[in-house]
Amino acid sequence: MSTVELTRFRVLPSRSEELLAARADMLKDFEADRSGFLGARLVQLPDNEWLDIVDWATPADFAASREKGANLPGIARFFAAIDSLVVAEEGVSAP
């Protein structure tokens, strides 16, 4: 079983293209810098909300990533496009 990070956030309509343009570089930065990063999916929801589903090998890998924050340019650009956080949760994938 892997750890799953679920982050729901709002993006102003005027910044949606910026968010999507930054996504590829954010994922490259995660792959290069985040131990235990297994992959991510971004889902567009109604009302300018998005859900980022990120898979981590272990809870420790996820915790270490959180400590690093927006430490690389691609990650920082993606985070900068976010207007507000709705909710952030952590779970375990079912077998």
Side-chain angles (χ1 to χ4, degrees):
M1 290 191 287
S2 62
T3 296
V4 180
E5 170 189 3
L6 302 165
T7 306
R8 190 165 158 177
F9 54 88
R10 287 188 182 89
V11 176
L12 298 174
S14 61
R15 299 194 78 185
S16 292
E17 286 185 32
E18 179 183 342
L19 178 87
L20 294 173
R23 183 67 174 181
D25 287 339
M26 186 209 80
L27 292 174
K28 286 178 189 174
D29 284 352
F30 266 47
E31 289 169 356
D33 186 59
R34 309 294 165 108
S35 178
F37 172 71
L38 301 176
R41 295 169 305 287
L42 184 63
V43 180
Q44 186 174 10
L45 303 169
D47 301 322
N48 305 315
E49 289 189 5
W50 297 78
L51 175 65
D52 204 357
I53 305 165
V54 184
D55 294 308
W56 299 97
T58 68
D61 293 329
F62 174 44
S65 175
R66 274 190 157 168
E67 287 181 24
K68 288 185 175 187
N71 65 325
L72 295 174
I75 300 168
R77 278 194 303 280
F78 183 81
F79 287 0
I82 295 171
D83 182 52
S84 61
L85 177 67
V86 175
V87 65
E89 298 178 298
E90 179 179 349
V92 177
S93 64

